[in-house]
Amino acid sequence: MRVSIASDHAGYDLRKIVATHLEELGYEVIEGGAESALTPYSYVEAGKKIAEDVLSGRADRGVAICGTGIGISVVVNKYKGIRCGLCTNEYMARMSRQHNDANIIAFGARVVGQAVALAMVDAFFTEPFAGERHAVRVNDIKTLEEENFK
Ligand code: RB5
């Protein structure tokens, strides 16, 4: 599986840890965003990179990190076809896959620690979509996208 991961400066240090973890697990990682924790970098640009990687097929899924996770999750959810869950714990990460068929996970480097972040990505990349009644709701989201996106 190919994973696009990007962050702003606030998410830089945690992004490096998560990217290394995913590579060690055998995922193909495409990294983007800030080049250091010290130079300001917009979470909007980082989010655009992830959403475009996923929608183009360059990546199968994405990991989005900023200070709170809020800004970057808002950005990626502006794209038709993106379902990003902003998560603060492993249960939310698991449910974002099982119930929402999320294709991007977002979290905040100033909100969660390293252990929680790694537990969340492990859940996000292993939990299957449950389908059935949840597929009906995800299809309803796609219908909303058709109505509301140009
Ligand atoms: C950067 O200071 C901060 O605003 C950003 O990382 C994020 O938390 C925005 O939602």
Side-chain angles (χ1 to χ4, degrees):
M1 185 185 293
R2 288 161 303 170
V3 179
S4 174
I5 180 169
S7 73
D8 67 356
H9 55 287
Y12 177 83
D13 290 337
L14 185 57
R15 184 189 90 213
K16 299 309 274 186
I17 291 165
V18 173
T20 300
H21 176 74
L22 289 172
E23 280 169 352
E24 284 172 358
L25 290 173
Y27 295 98
E28 186 183 323
V29 176
I30 307 166
E31 215 178 327
E35 292 183 1
S36 94
L38 302 176
T39 308
Y41 189 98
S42 170
Y43 62 80
V44 179
E45 294 306 313
K48 282 165 64 176
K49 170 77 166 63
I50 306 164
E52 288 165 12
D53 280 348
V54 170
L55 292 173
S56 69
R58 283 191 294 275
D60 303 295
R61 298 221 195 121
V63 178
I65 309 173
C66 66
T68 58
I70 296 170
I72 201 162
S73 65
V74 170
V75 171
V76 296
N77 277 316
K78 293 295 180 193
Y79 285 77
K80 183 176 172 180
I82 295 297
R83 288 179 303 283
C84 172
L86 171 57
C87 299
T88 59
N89 58 58
E90 189 267 351
Y91 176 76
M92 292 175 78
R94 194 169 295 288
M95 290 305 109
S96 79
R97 288 289 312 131
Q98 209 182 100
H99 288 192
N100 312 116
D101 198 17
N103 48 14
I104 298 180
I105 183 172
F107 46 87
R110 295 171 177 164
V111 178
V112 299
Q114 174 181 333
V116 171
L118 297 184
M120 290 195 298
V121 296
D122 286 350
F124 182 73
F125 286 105
T126 54
E127 189 72 17
F129 178 46
E132 299 187 357
R133 71 181 191 278
H134 303 294
V136 174
R137 290 161 191 164
V138 170
N139 279 331
D140 288 344
I141 292 171
K142 290 176 182 169
T143 301
L144 270 182
E145 287 180 333
E146 293 304 325
E147 291 168 5
N148 291 305
F149 282 79
K150 282 185 188 170

